[in-house]
Amino acid sequence: MAPTDEDNQPPLRDAATTGTTPPDRPPADGGTVAPPARMPRWLPRAMVLALALIASFQLGSWAFHQLTNLLINILIAFFLALAIEPAVSRMAARGMRRGLATFLVFLGLTIITAGFVALLGSMLAGQIIKMIEGFPDYLDSLINWINATFHTQLRRVDIQEGLLHSSWLRKYAQNSAAGVLDVSAQVLGGLFQLLTIGLFSFYFAADGPRLRRALCSVLPPARQAEVLRAWEIAVDKTGGYLYSRGLMALISGIAHYILLQALGVPYAPVLGVWVGLVSQFIPTIGTYLAGALPMLIAFTVAPWYAVWVLVFVVIYQQFENYMLQPKLTAKTVDIHPAVAFGSVIAGTALLGAVGALIAIPAVATLQAFLGAYVKRYTVTDDPRVHGHRRAGAVGPGLLSRVRRLRTDRPGAEESS
């Protein structure tokens, strides 16, 4: 038998014994085998970069949430420094060192605030003691009125024993005792926050020129002029806003003091200062908060006095809104009332009470800064600009159109 080609070929080794895979046989049609797909070289780097960006974003978000209170304190300190900047600059222009001028301004503000808080605290303490001492008389008059009106037999002794042995009073006392530590922690936190705001505002006001030079040193000359212009506008608007509010607070305090003194309400000077400050520096609801305390104190003197105080608060508020405020704020924060109200709502939604306080000067600063870059044109002399309509511009009225339709109907002339 003749040998064949298969007999001349070497025997194939088992892949399992050699440890290697047999080579792929070429396809029957003679085509080429596609090489195996490889991972692009840029993909690992892109994955690492994406993971690094996600980690950086998460870290930045965590740090921002942790530092939110500090950033808000710095924002308040910055606006406070802008508010006292004119007074400090005026004193520094007369030869006084800027640090000493800032210290004197802060010392005056601290003395005024401490005196007001001390007077208000003594007034409240005195009124609380007076109400506690007169509580039995109030309770007796209330019991007598109930017995005479509803024909009951209530006694003050029974009511006092019921209150002393009630479960809700015991629970209230326990909760109040447990909340003493929370109140102490909140007081300490508030004092630390005030200290932080005071230190930052002192540094911002005392080192204002150095801060502006440091900021302008990293900007080109054209940008430096814009930054300095924005800084000057912010100082003018913030200082003007606070000074105009302070003047309105003084006028409001004097007016309410005269009323309370005429009615014989105790602590009339302190109540006048309270109404002036709260009504001017707490937007939107400050008027109602300011008038509540004088009404309560006047009610302890005579119930009708509280009504007189309420009427005077409402009338004075209208006088202030329509006559006094437009004249005092026309040169400082000349913004539309709707814009001011919307800015207060937006500031409250973003930063709470702090946002409501700084919203108006911030919007006034932004409006004044943008107004320097907006080109304005002369308004055409058209009656529609003043809210008037041109004669003949409006079509026929509704009744005229109905009559015309009735006369134009087919058969209308025949029927007539």
Side-chain angles (χ1 to χ4, degrees):
M1 180 179 297
T4 61
D5 295 338
E6 295 178 357
D7 297 334
N8 296 330
Q9 292 179 357
L12 296 175
R13 295 182 179 180
D14 189 3
T17 59
T18 59
T20 59
T21 58
D24 296 335
R25 292 184 178 183
D29 56 357
T32 58
V33 179
R38 295 181 179 179
M39 181 183 297
R41 294 181 179 180
W42 57 267
L43 185 58
R45 297 180 181 178
M47 294 176 63
V48 173
L49 181 60
L51 292 176
L53 290 176
I54 294 174
S56 300
F57 177 77
Q58 294 292 336
L59 181 61
S61 178
W62 173 81
F64 178 77
H65 287 293
Q66 295 295 324
L67 298 176
T68 300
N69 293 331
L70 178 61
L71 295 177
I72 292 176
N73 292 337
I74 293 176
L75 183 63
I76 299 173
F78 179 72
F79 273 92
L80 182 59
L82 292 179
I84 66 174
E85 176 75 18
V88 174
S89 299
R90 193 175 294 111
M91 296 173 67
R94 296 181 178 179
M96 186 179 296
R97 295 179 54 185
R98 193 173 183 88
L100 179 60
T102 307
F103 173 76
L104 293 178
V105 173
F106 269 92
L107 180 62
L109 292 176
T110 303
I111 293 175
I112 294 174
T113 304
F116 172 70
V117 171
L119 291 176
L120 185 63
S122 63
M123 180 200 67
L124 291 177
Q127 290 299 317
I128 291 174
I129 293 174
K130 182 179 179 181
M131 292 177 65
I132 292 176
E133 291 177 350
F135 180 75
D137 297 333
Y138 295 148
L139 186 59
D140 289 337
S141 61
L142 179 61
I143 291 174
N144 294 332
W145 180 80
I146 294 175
N147 291 334
T149 305
F150 301 100
H151 305 287
T152 57
Q153 299 294 329
L154 295 178
R155 295 187 305 171
R156 188 178 70 180
V157 178
D158 298 336
I159 295 177
Q160 290 177 350
E161 290 181 356
L163 290 175
L164 292 176
H165 295 87
S166 60
S167 59
W168 68 268
L169 184 60
R170 249 186 269 109
K171 292 180 180 179
Y172 178 77
Q174 294 174 359
N175 295 332
S176 300
V180 171
L181 295 178
D182 297 336
V183 173
S184 301
Q186 292 178 359
V187 170
L188 292 177
L191 292 176
F192 180 76
Q193 186 175 3
L194 290 177
L195 180 62
T196 304
I197 294 173
L199 287 176
F200 274 107
S201 59
F202 180 84
Y203 290 139
F204 286 152
D207 294 339
R210 186 184 304 175
L211 180 61
R212 287 190 286 270
R213 287 195 300 268
L215 183 61
C216 292
S217 63
V218 297
L219 298 174
R223 298 296 181 184
Q224 293 179 12
E226 294 180 0
V227 170
L228 293 177
R229 177 179 177 82
W231 194 293
E232 183 180 0
I233 291 175
V235 170
D236 293 339
K237 294 300 179 180
T238 305
Y241 170 74
L242 291 180
Y243 293 151
S244 62
R245 287 290 174 178
L247 182 58
M248 288 191 295
L250 178 62
I251 298 174
S252 176
I254 293 175
H256 287 84
Y257 163 74
I258 294 174
L259 172 69
L260 296 174
Q261 189 70 28
L263 295 177
V265 178
Y267 303 101
V270 182
L271 290 176
V273 175
W274 164 266
V275 173
L277 293 178
V278 175
S279 62
Q280 300 303 323
F281 291 99
I282 297 182
T284 308
I285 62 173
T287 303
Y288 307 103
L289 293 178
L293 185 60
M295 288 174 56
L296 180 62
I297 303 301
F299 184 82
T300 60
V301 179
W304 282 106
Y305 286 178
V307 178
W308 285 110
V309 172
L310 176 61
V311 172
F312 182 81
V313 168
V314 172
I315 295 176
Y316 181 83
Q317 184 64 28
Q318 302 305 315
F319 165 75
E320 180 182 280
N321 291 337
Y322 293 101
M323 297 186 64
L324 185 61
Q325 183 174 353
K327 294 182 179 180
L328 293 180
T329 60
K331 297 181 180 180
T332 55
V333 285
D334 188 12
I335 60 178
H336 195 272
V339 177
F341 183 70
S343 63
V344 169
I345 295 177
T348 305
L350 292 175
L351 299 176
V354 176
L357 186 61
I358 67 177
I360 294 179
V363 171
T365 302
L366 181 62
Q367 177 180 343
F369 182 72
L370 294 179
Y373 297 94
V374 176
K375 186 177 181 180
R376 299 183 180 272
Y377 300 91
T378 303
V379 180
T380 180
D381 191 9
D382 195 307
R384 290 172 293 182
V385 175
H386 306 285
H388 305 293
R389 293 187 176 184
R390 293 184 301 177
V394 183
L398 180 61
L399 295 177
S400 300
R401 283 180 287 178
V402 171
R403 291 173 182 174
R404 181 177 298 177
L405 289 175
R406 291 183 60 184
T407 55
D408 292 342
R409 283 187 311 172
E413 297 179 357
E414 297 179 0
S415 61
S416 61

